[in-house]
Amino acid sequence: MATKVRDYAKLAKDIIATVGGEENIVNAARCATRLRLVLKETPADAHDKIAAMPGVITVVETGGQFQVVIGTHVGDVFDVVVKELHLDEKGGEMPEAKQGILNRVIATMSAVFAPFVYILAAAGILQGTLIIITMFAPSFANTGTYSLLSLMSWTPFTFLPVFIAVTASKHFKCNTFIALVCCCALVNPDLSALAGRVADGEVIKFLFFKISETTYTSSVLPPLFLVWILSYLERFVSKRLPDALKALFTPFICLIVMVPLTVLLIGPLSTLAANGIAGGYNALYDFAPALAAAVIGGFWQVVVIFGVHWGITPVCLANFANNGFDTFQAYQTIAVIAQMAAAFGVFIKSRNKEFKGVALSAGITGIFGITEPAIYGVTLRLKKPFICGCIAGGIGAVVASFFHAVYYTYAGLPGMLTVVNAIRPTDSIAPVFANAFTGEIIGAVIAIIGAIVLVQFIGFDDPASETDNGISSDNSNAIEKKAAPAAKKAAAVKAPMNGKVMPLSEVADEVFSSGALGNGAAIEPSDNKVYAPVDAVVESIFDTKHAIGLTTADGMELLIHVGIDTVKLNGAPFTVKTAVGNQVKAGDLLLEFDAEAIKAAGCPLTTPVIITNSDDYESIALCADGNVAHGDTIINVK
């Protein structure tokens, strides 16, 4: 069963504490799968401790950032981090980290594009859907339904500067609404009309300066540089204006300075830079298409490992804007598909039931273009499958290049769902590459088959061989433990209290989380009562009243341990409602406790429910998720 953390608030707080607390965190951001922290200093043991936390796939230190790879639930963790660090309140007051230019560029691209990448991806899927429909029903392109849906699919790209205004203003810590009005001016239809008149030969000036024919819909670098410079201008103006004038004249001055400055200077220069970088890649492609394909298809996932993949976004968008198509994303997609397939290859070959679940989950996530779980949780962890994916991706991309595979539509998250972007829309003015889609499909199929076959032949060290009794060392929800079959009856253990159930591996105490006392589950209580989880005899009650031992008629031995380190409280917060030797029924009240007193003493309330004779059973499996009420079944025992 794949890893899934239910208490994201706890994970966020644990991460903050492990990296040195709020005072050591300069800034925090997130992307599709990573929590990105900028630290003053990185504690020596932070990497290993956080990487071992349940729910964390891995930790990457690159680009001046401490990146915690969490997966699709990173937003849940980040929301808590924002609250704990008071990021919204600090605004522009947070100190800046000392980083090199390259690291700052990488961090900026990530912070700006990651928050809305799913919007672009959704729009890309809509475009792909329209392409498929018109393939089978060409007349659909002439309907009002098509026109409206097409308009919707292009909206995020047309107004891309507006999205950038929001995210960049937060990254550069300036007024979001000032950034918005400036960037909205760039996509104003009247400005595009002016640029069109200039392109037709008319000379139009702003004061003494000629306006260029550059347009800014779908642009990336012009609004990005606009907001960056705006952040300095806004602070400069705000510090020098009297308080009575700041609210009105700060946006006024910023608007009349930044929009003309962008239209006359920043826009043309930054567009030239983006086109230059795109031109460099295109020159390589024109010189040796197979070489360009091999590099991207084979090494793109290596770039993803270091979290610097957002830097290519302006290049791809520049290609779409200038040429109406892009080859980079066509090969990038094949690289993503190959790594996804490598995870499925691990799923097929592994004999570790638990790890098979991890690989399957990571592979399914890869279908949607997110490969970090597959890379960090499966292929890179095992090393050889990652290499298999890179080889298959490179071969698939090279074959696709023979067919001149291109993308006609930008893919926010390149992957299996975006291969239709290689189909030329009926209303596109881009050049026709008749075999583009065929080549993309063939390249993708080669990547899938190649990665899976290579994994089967080359193999890997199955995690099952690394631990005793076939139990994987991977952090996961499964709490299954293999042992010699025993003559025990199947049984169900019910929740002894109301609260949120969690795997035992997530308990913040190694004695419990390691399974040293046995397997089971844990509950974060929402009230102050403990009930019998089974029909049993009360075998023991600790002198400190914090734990009770039970034994069922079939010989199952259960331990209910209320809180962590609560033994030091000497029984003060606990009131026992039963006695040793009593026969109890499931649901009988055993114990009450003062939750506030326990928390005030600094002890977590997490309550492990452990089957101490776990070796007598073939399997012990958690069968509940989230909030439970006492009496709900949480563990199945066979």
Side-chain angles (χ1 to χ4, degrees), residues 348-388:
I348 294 170
K349 188 172 181 63
S350 176
R351 293 297 174 264
N352 181 321
K353 181 178 178 181
E354 189 171 321
F355 194 68
K356 284 173 74 74
V358 173
L360 178 62
S361 176
I364 292 173
T365 303
I367 292 175
F368 299 93
I370 301 173
T371 52
E372 280 91 342
I375 292 173
Y376 295 116
V378 182
T379 62
L380 187 62
R381 171 183 171 182
L382 300 176
K383 298 182 178 63
K384 291 178 182 178
F386 179 78
I387 297 173
C388 291

Side-chain angles (χ1 to χ4, degrees), residues 573-584:
F574 303 99
T575 303
V576 177
K577 297 296 184 178
T578 188
V580 173
N582 282 2
Q583 180 74 45
V584 294

Side-chain angles (χ1 to χ4, degrees), residues 531-536 583-590:
Y531 302 88
V534 291
D535 295 345
Q583 180 74 45
V584 294
K585 295 288 186 182
D588 288 351
L589 183 62
L590 301 179

Side-chain angles (χ1 to χ4, degrees), residues 153-510:
S153 72
W154 283 107
T155 296
F157 302 100
T158 301
F159 294 97
L160 194 56
V162 178
F163 287 86
I164 291 173
V166 175
T167 55
S169 64
K170 293 180 179 178
H171 179 70
F172 294 122
K173 302 177 179 62
C174 60
N175 187 297
T176 297
F177 293 100
I178 297 177
L180 274 170
V181 70
C182 292
C183 289
C184 282
L186 298 184
V187 295
N188 190 310
D190 289 342
L191 180 59
S192 296
L194 282 178
R197 289 163 54 190
V198 173
D200 291 336
E202 183 178 348
V203 176
I204 302 176
K205 294 183 178 181
F206 176 80
L207 299 177
F208 306 104
F209 305 97
K210 292 182 180 179
I211 294 177
S212 75
E213 60 187 62
T214 306
T215 57
Y216 300 99
T217 55
S218 303
S219 63
V220 173
L221 293 185
L224 188 58
F225 280 110
L226 182 157
V227 179
W228 176 46
I229 296 173
L230 170 65
S231 66
Y232 291 99
L233 176 63
E234 181 189 338
R235 287 192 286 270
F236 176 84
V237 172
S238 182
K239 288 179 181 178
R240 285 159 179 78
L241 285 176
D243 290 341
L245 302 178
K246 280 183 183 181
L248 174 62
F249 282 93
T250 297
F252 171 74
I253 294 173
C254 290
L255 180 64
I256 64 171
V257 171
M258 289 311 306
V259 174
L261 182 62
T262 302
V263 170
L264 299 173
L265 183 63
I266 297 173
L269 289 179
S270 57
T271 299
L272 185 64
N275 291 342
I277 298 172
Y281 162 74
N282 293 334
L284 173 62
Y285 175 79
D286 292 338
F287 173 73
L291 175 61
V295 170
I296 299 165
F299 294 99
W300 176 250
Q301 294 300 300
V302 177
V303 175
V304 173
I305 290 174
F306 297 101
V308 299
H309 46 299
W310 296 106
I312 199 63
T313 301
V315 175
C316 296
L317 288 172
N319 274 336
F320 283 111
N322 297 331
N323 308 319
F325 67 91
D326 175 56
T327 59
F328 192 104
Q329 284 209 313
Y331 305 139
Q332 181 186 7
T333 295
I334 294 173
V336 169
I337 289 173
Q339 208 60 227
M340 170 207 75
F344 283 128
V346 172
F347 165 74
I348 294 170
K349 188 172 181 63
S350 176
R351 293 297 174 264
N352 181 321
K353 181 178 178 181
E354 189 171 321
F355 194 68
K356 284 173 74 74
V358 173
L360 178 62
S361 176
I364 292 173
T365 303
I367 292 175
F368 299 93
I370 301 173
T371 52
E372 280 91 342
I375 292 173
Y376 295 116
V378 182
T379 62
L380 187 62
R381 171 183 171 182
L382 300 176
K383 298 182 178 63
K384 291 178 182 178
F386 179 78
I387 297 173
C388 291
C390 290
I391 293 173
I395 295 173
V398 169
V399 173
S401 72
F402 297 151
F403 294 83
H404 301 289
V406 303
Y407 263 20
Y408 290 100
T409 304
Y410 178 79
L413 292 171
M416 283 286 292
L417 300 182
T418 68
V419 292
V420 294
N421 291 20
I423 302 173
R424 184 177 179 273
T426 55
D427 56 354
S428 174
I429 59 174
V432 177
F433 297 94
N435 297 317
F437 180 60
T438 301
E440 188 71 11
I441 290 295
I442 293 175
V445 170
I446 290 174
I448 293 171
I449 296 175
I452 292 176
V453 170
L454 282 173
V455 170
Q456 306 314 302
F457 276 96
I458 295 177
F460 51 86
D461 295 328
D462 199 325
S465 65
E466 298 175 3
T467 57
D468 296 330
N469 297 325
I471 301 174
S472 168
S473 59
D474 179 59
N475 291 322
S476 76
N477 287 349
I479 53 176
E480 194 172 283
K481 181 173 182 177
K482 299 295 182 183
K488 296 285 187 180
K489 292 183 179 179
V493 178
K494 303 182 184 301
M497 56 177 59
N498 301 326
K500 184 179 290 186
V501 69
M502 66 177 67
L504 199 61
S505 61
E506 294 180 16
V507 176
D509 186 298
E510 188 174 353

Side-chain angles (χ1 to χ4, degrees), residues 5-6 8-9 12 30 70 72-81:
V5 173
R6 297 163 183 85
Y8 297 107
R30 57 154 292 193
I70 295 169
T72 54
H73 289 286
V74 66
D76 298 310
V77 175
F78 181 67
D79 289 343
V80 179
V81 169

Side-chain angles (χ1 to χ4, degrees), residues 25-84:
I25 300 175
V26 175
N27 209 340
R30 57 154 292 193
C31 62
T33 58
R34 308 177 191 214
L35 172 65
R36 297 168 179 259
L37 303 175
V38 178
L39 308 177
K40 294 178 183 177
E41 296 181 358
T42 303
D45 59 350
H47 184 288
D48 293 340
K49 283 186 176 181
I50 293 177
M53 291 179 181
V56 173
I57 298 172
T58 191
V59 172
V60 179
E61 295 182 68
T62 185
Q65 295 179 338
F66 189 89
Q67 302 177 7
V68 184
V69 183
I70 295 169
T72 54
H73 289 286
V74 66
D76 298 310
V77 175
F78 181 67
D79 289 343
V80 179
V81 169
V82 169
K83 293 178 182 178
E84 291 293 313

